[in-house]
């Protein structure tokens, strides 16, 4: 019989009790999610690296031109009435993340197989956000879900010289999706490749 872990709050309709079969600990699940991220990034055309040990604030390095982008990988299966709640804080024994440590957060919605590639500044600049709701279902106030623009936004990991066309779609902090543009991989990354990679 597989093991089941409970995530989220099951009281008063604030969250649905979920299971994460096959994992003995949160750490084990986190390692699996990091592997999922690296596999998806490689399939999308990126080169990845993994820092040795657990002492780095980031989980995965992504080659982006001459830079290595530092990516902290998070996951959720905590469904609330508003969407999936994803936490962006380190464990209780660590100091909060800073922009000197993290370039991007990659958030994986496990039940939906959906990735969010969120620039670190979005969550860490100004009032730091420790958790956000992503992948809302029929939101009454769509403007509250500011991270939706980063859903499957793999093109943001490209170096500036390769994604200049994509960057023209940015208005302030928001990205206007262009369906003709292949820089953002939508539902089938194995069939779509980011340009220039």
């Amino acid at each position: 019989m597989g093991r089941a872990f409970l995530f989220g709050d099951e009281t008063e309709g604030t969250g649905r009790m979920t299971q994460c079969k096959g994992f003995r600990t949160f750490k084990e699940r986190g390692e699996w999610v990091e592997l999922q991220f690296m596999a998806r990034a490689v399939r999308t055309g990126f080169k990845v690296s993994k820092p040795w040990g657990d002492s780095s604030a980031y989980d995965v390095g992504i080659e982006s031109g001459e830079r290595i982008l530092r990516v902290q990988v998070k996951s959720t299966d905590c469904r609330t009435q508003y969407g999936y709640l994803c936490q962006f804080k380190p464990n209780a024994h660590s100091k909060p993340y800073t922009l000197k440590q993290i370039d991007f957060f990659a958030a994986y919605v496990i039940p939906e197989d959906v990735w969010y590639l969120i620039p670190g500044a979005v969550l860490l600049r100004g009032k730091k956000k420790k958790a956000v709701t992503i992948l809302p279902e029929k939101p009454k106030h769509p403007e509250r879900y500011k991270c939706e623009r980063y859903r499957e936004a793999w093109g943001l990991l490209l170096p500036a010289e390769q994604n200049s066309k994509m960057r023209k779609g940015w208005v302030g902090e928001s990205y206007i999706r262009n369906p003709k543009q292949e820089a953002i991989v939508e539902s089938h990354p194995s069939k779509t490749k980011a340009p220039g990679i």
Side-chain angles (χ1 to χ4, degrees):
M1 178 190 269
R3 297 176 189 259
F5 292 92
L6 307 179
F7 302 100
D9 180 6
E10 61 175 313
T11 60
E12 298 184 27
T14 59
R16 186 176 71 206
M17 187 170 37
T18 58
Q19 295 182 353
C20 197
K21 294 180 181 176
F23 301 106
R24 292 173 289 163
T25 64
F26 282 109
K27 182 170 178 51
E28 193 174 272
R29 181 178 100 163
E31 291 166 347
W32 175 80
V33 171
E34 288 172 19
L35 286 171
Q36 296 301 309
F37 174 75
M38 289 187 287
R40 180 75 172 268
V42 168
R43 224 176 28 192
T44 305
F46 292 99
K47 292 183 180 168
V48 302
S49 59
K50 177 86 174 115
W52 181 258
D54 287 335
S55 57
S56 295
Y58 69 98
D59 296 315
V60 178
I62 296 283
E63 287 186 27
S64 181
E66 296 177 3
R67 289 191 64 201
I68 301 290
L69 297 175
R70 299 159 300 174
V71 181
Q72 174 56 233
V73 180
K74 299 293 185 182
S75 67
T76 182
D77 66 350
C78 180
R79 181 85 177 120
T80 70
Q81 64 182 343
Y82 303 109
Y84 287 89
L85 182 66
C86 190
Q87 296 190 22
F88 294 94
K89 60 183 181 178
N91 66 48
H93 306 292
S94 302
K95 293 181 179 179
Y97 299 121
T98 69
L99 288 172
K100 291 181 180 180
Q101 302 169 315
I102 305 292
D103 297 307
F104 279 86
F105 286 94
Y108 186 46
V109 182
I110 295 171
E112 308 295 334
D113 191 26
V114 172
W115 284 98
Y116 285 76
L117 290 301
I118 306 170
V122 171
L123 300 174
L124 300 176
R125 189 168 283 146
K127 185 180 177 189
K128 294 183 180 184
K129 296 161 193 71
K130 294 181 180 177
V132 297
T133 299
I134 52 181
L135 203 67
E137 274 189 36
K138 301 177 186 173
K140 292 181 181 178
H141 305 283
E143 70 280 358
R144 292 183 185 169
Y145 300 95
K146 296 184 180 185
C147 287
E148 284 309 296
R149 63 186 69 134
Y150 304 113
R151 186 188 305 183
E152 300 293 350
W154 294 92
L156 295 178
L157 302 176
L158 291 169
E161 62 272 8
Q162 290 182 345
N163 71 2
S164 60
K165 289 181 182 177
M166 187 190 78
R167 288 181 182 263
K168 290 178 184 176
W170 281 84
V171 179
E173 283 191 348
S174 67
Y175 181 71
I176 300 169
R177 291 186 182 205
N178 179 349
K180 294 179 182 175
Q181 215 166 28
E182 292 182 355
I184 304 255
V185 178
E186 291 296 332
S187 59
H188 300 288
S190 59
K191 295 179 183 175
T192 310
K193 193 171 181 183
I197 295 182

